[in-house]
């Protein structure tokens, strides 16, 4: 009879508690699908007294999570502590050195140390699995490792943060501005008390870095991600976007260029005809473009107890079945050390909103700044005067290089008639 796979879990927050529930509720089904029984042996968390709604009566409690890495009766350590360093990193390294498998939902850890952890896992013949680290319940890592492994990926992009997508969706549906909707999202539990990790794009950038490494067989390079958040997007921008045939989404995008791998996280104008424009609320989506498969898109809940626990347990079942494969598709020693393509080299179209004083010559001065960088306009919209006497002017451009756009933007910002820093949003073609 095949011996059970013995599991230790570090971290019993929302996801950890969900994993415990799923293992208990689907015990027989998972044994059938995994080819052996999955047995939770030990757990570790900050507070033993905290009520979690789970039965831990037959499970050993370890005060120190590192004890899970040392325990002889544990085969796989599930790291759900979080954070790019500290005890989470020490636990993953120690468990892998001990020859144990590691399953994690920690995108920050992987974004900063993914390549070295993958190398350590391979040296010890262990698995490093992280389906839950990107896009919650969407099996996008498994898709890249298995279903799309016959393709060269040319581009990937996606909505990788449900909090931002919820805020932008609600702003569009209600006409309310960012600060109001953010406060409502915090009250509803969709945003943290300190939302900066989400709304400033860092969470999405961690996930994009992990996706990029997996898709392109490259060392994970979080430092190479250009990151912008959604704080400066206003309800006015969302209205103008709708009028122009777009929706604003915070996207993570990656592709190979002649200058290296381009990785970007920022608000984008997405054409209404693009499927990803219609991913709303807390949902995530990831689109992959491969040379043989063409365009594919995966969508679903990107966070929450159930979807993330589902992804964690999928990795545990892979361990039970012995489906050991390189963490980032190719062997760690063969991961390419590719340059990051400079953001200045990005080429695309742009949306620019200006708040200007309604006086003669303003549009001419703006046009001169753009012409000086050989940037051509596609359209211009102008609306009635605001209470402060400022007029919103919206310009969209044809494709140009980012460096040119930024130089023109700096010149326009210095014009006396421009009342506030212009809002610049990149227009994406899908």
């Amino acid at each position: 009879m095949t011996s059970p796979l013995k599991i230790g879990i570090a971290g019993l927050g929302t996801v950890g508690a969900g994993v415990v529930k799923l293992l208990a509720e689907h015990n027989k089904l998972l044994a059938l699908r995994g080819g052996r029984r999955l047995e939770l042996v030990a757990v570790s968390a900050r507070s033993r007294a905290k009520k979690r709604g789970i039965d831990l009566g037959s499970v050993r409690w370890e005060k120190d999570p590192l004890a899970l890495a040392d325990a002889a009766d544990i085969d796989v350590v599930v790291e759900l502590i979080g954070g790019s360093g500290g005890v989470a990193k020490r636990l993953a390294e120690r468990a892998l050195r001990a020859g144990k498998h590691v399953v994690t939902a920690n995108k920050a850890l992987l974004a900063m140390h993914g390549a070295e952890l993958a190398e350590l896992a391979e040296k010890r013949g262990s698995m490093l699995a992280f389906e839950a680290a990107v896009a919650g319940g969407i099996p996008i890592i498994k898709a890249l490792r298995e279903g799309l492994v016959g393709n060269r990926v040319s581009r990937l992009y996606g909505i990788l943060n449900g909090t931002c997508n919820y805020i932008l969706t609600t702003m569009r549906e209600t006409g309310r501005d960012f600060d109001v909707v953010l406060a409502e999202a915090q009250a509803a539990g969709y945003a943290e008390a300190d939302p900066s990790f989400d709304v400033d794009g860092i969470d999405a950038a961690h996930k994009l870095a992990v996706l990029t490494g997996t898709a392109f067989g490259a060392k994970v390079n979080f430092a190479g991600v250009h990151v912008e958040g959604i704080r400066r997007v206003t309800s006015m921008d969302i209205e103008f976007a709708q009028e122009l045939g777009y929706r604003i989404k915070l996207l993570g995008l990656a592709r190979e260029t002649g200058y290296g791998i381009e990785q970007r996280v920022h608000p984008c104008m997405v054409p209404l005809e693009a499927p990803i424009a219609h991913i709303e609320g807390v949902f995530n989506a990831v689109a992959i473009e491969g040379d043989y498969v063409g365009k594919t898109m995966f969508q679903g809940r990107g966070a929450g107890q159930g979807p993330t626990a589902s992804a964690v347990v999928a990795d545990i079942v892979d361990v039970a079945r012995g489906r050991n494969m390189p963490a980032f598709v190719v062997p760690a020693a063969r991961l390419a050390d590719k340059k990051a393509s400079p953001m200045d080299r990005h080429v695309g179209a742009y949306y620019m909103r200006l708040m200007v004083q309604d006086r003669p010559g303003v549009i001419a001065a703006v046009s001169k700044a753009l012409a000086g960088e050989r940037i051509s306009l596609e359209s211009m919209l102008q609306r009635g005067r605001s209470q402060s006497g400022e007029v919103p002017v919206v310009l969209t451009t044809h494709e140009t290089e980012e460096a040119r756009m930024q130089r023109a933007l700096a010149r326009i910002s210095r014009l006396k008639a421009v009342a506030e820093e212009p809002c610049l949003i990149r227009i994406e073609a899908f």
Side-chain angles (χ1 to χ4, degrees):
M1 183 177 178
T2 305
S3 59
L5 180 74
K6 297 186 177 181
I7 303 163
I9 299 176
L12 290 176
T14 300
V15 177
V19 173
V20 174
K21 287 180 184 177
L22 202 161
L23 289 172
E25 290 179 15
H26 290 177
N27 185 264
K28 292 182 179 179
L29 180 64
L30 292 171
L32 182 64
R33 291 177 174 175
R36 58 200 291 200
R37 190 163 59 85
L38 307 184
E39 181 182 343
L40 180 58
V41 171
V43 296
S44 180
R46 287 180 181 177
S47 171
R48 188 170 186 173
K50 182 179 177 180
K51 294 187 182 300
R52 299 178 172 89
I54 53 178
D55 182 9
L56 296 173
S58 61
V59 179
R60 184 171 77 250
W61 183 276
E62 296 285 5
K63 186 176 180 180
D64 182 2
L66 296 178
L68 300 175
D70 299 331
D73 61 345
I74 290 177
D75 303 309
V76 53
V77 172
V78 180
E79 185 278 304
L80 302 173
I81 298 169
S84 62
V87 69
K89 181 173 181 283
R90 293 198 301 274
L91 175 61
E93 290 174 335
R94 194 152 158 178
L96 291 171
R97 288 196 182 101
K100 302 186 190 307
H101 308 288
V102 170
V103 171
T104 180
N106 191 338
K107 64 266 184 182
L109 175 65
L110 294 162
M112 303 304 293
H113 307 289
E116 59 196 74
L117 290 174
E119 184 176 6
L120 182 56
E122 288 177 32
K123 285 181 178 177
R124 296 295 185 269
S126 299
M127 286 179 63
L128 172 66
F130 47 84
E131 186 64 66
V134 180
I138 302 173
I140 190 61
I141 300 299
K142 192 174 290 291
L144 288 167
R145 281 177 174 167
E146 299 173 22
L148 300 175
V149 74
N151 289 260
R152 288 188 181 276
V153 175
S154 56
R155 179 168 71 158
L156 66 86
Y157 55 90
I159 295 169
L160 302 176
N161 185 273
T163 298
C164 288
N165 204 42
Y166 172 84
I167 290 171
L168 292 171
T169 298
T170 305
M171 288 173 67
R172 180 178 58 80
E173 291 176 344
T174 65
R176 295 195 289 270
D177 260 323
F178 173 82
D179 290 338
V180 175
V181 176
L182 172 59
E184 292 172 351
Q186 289 171 316
Y190 291 130
E192 301 287 344
D194 178 3
S196 56
F197 206 65
D198 292 315
V199 301
D200 292 332
I202 304 302
D203 175 77
H206 282 147
K207 295 170 183 175
L208 179 66
V210 174
L211 273 178
T212 302
T214 309
F216 296 104
K219 292 181 180 179
V220 180
N221 182 13
F222 175 70
V225 184
H226 174 85
V227 188
E228 298 173 26
I230 64 169
R231 292 184 191 267
R232 296 198 64 245
V233 177
T234 68
S235 59
M236 186 186 304
D237 297 314
I238 289 173
E239 290 175 13
F240 276 122
Q242 192 79 10
E243 184 172 348
L244 292 165
Y246 298 99
R247 283 187 182 165
I248 299 177
K249 298 290 184 182
L250 181 79
L251 297 184
L253 310 97
R255 66 188 180 101
E256 288 203 73
T257 76
Y259 303 102
I261 295 185
E262 181 182 86
Q263 297 184 90
R264 304 179 276 131
V265 170
H266 52 71
C268 297
M269 290 280 186
V270 178
L272 285 172
E273 61 268 22
I276 205 163
H278 302 279
I279 305 300
E280 303 283 48
V282 297
F283 281 76
N284 282 192
V286 180
I288 305 290
E289 297 178 4
D291 56 351
Y292 272 72
V293 76
K295 295 181 180 181
T296 63
M297 192 171 84
F298 305 77
Q299 67 182 82
R301 293 190 176 275
Q305 184 178 77
T308 312
S310 171
V312 169
V313 172
D315 281 340
I316 295 174
V317 170
D318 275 352
V319 173
R321 281 290 188 187
R323 297 186 186 124
N324 197 342
M325 61 189 72
F328 294 98
V329 185
V330 301
R334 302 290 298 276
L335 287 172
D337 192 6
K338 297 190 177 183
K339 293 180 180 179
S341 180
M343 190 61 192
D344 281 354
R345 294 291 191 177
H346 169 69
V347 174
Y350 294 83
Y351 159 101
M352 182 191 299
R353 176 181 53 79
L354 309 172
M355 297 301 294
V356 302
Q357 297 296 326
D358 190 11
R359 63 176 68 163
V362 174
I363 300 302
V366 171
S367 298
K368 183 178 179 182
L370 293 170
E373 292 295 338
R374 300 200 298 276
I375 299 170
S376 62
L377 288 177
E378 181 175 11
S379 67
M380 184 177 75
L381 298 173
Q382 186 170 339
R383 290 292 176 264
R385 186 173 301 177
S386 68
Q387 291 182 347
S388 62
E390 298 157 4
V391 175
V393 175
V394 166
L395 312 170
T396 62
T397 77
H398 291 289
E399 284 195 347
T400 189
E401 194 175 60
E402 176 85 12
R404 294 184 180 278
M405 195 69 223
Q406 292 295 339
R407 288 195 296 266
L409 185 67
R411 289 180 63 183
I412 291 167
S413 298
R414 291 193 293 268
L415 295 174
K416 291 182 179 180
V418 175
E420 60 184 56
E421 184 181 354
C423 176
L424 186 71
I425 300 177
R426 295 165 191 88
I427 299 173
E428 296 299 325
F430 298 125

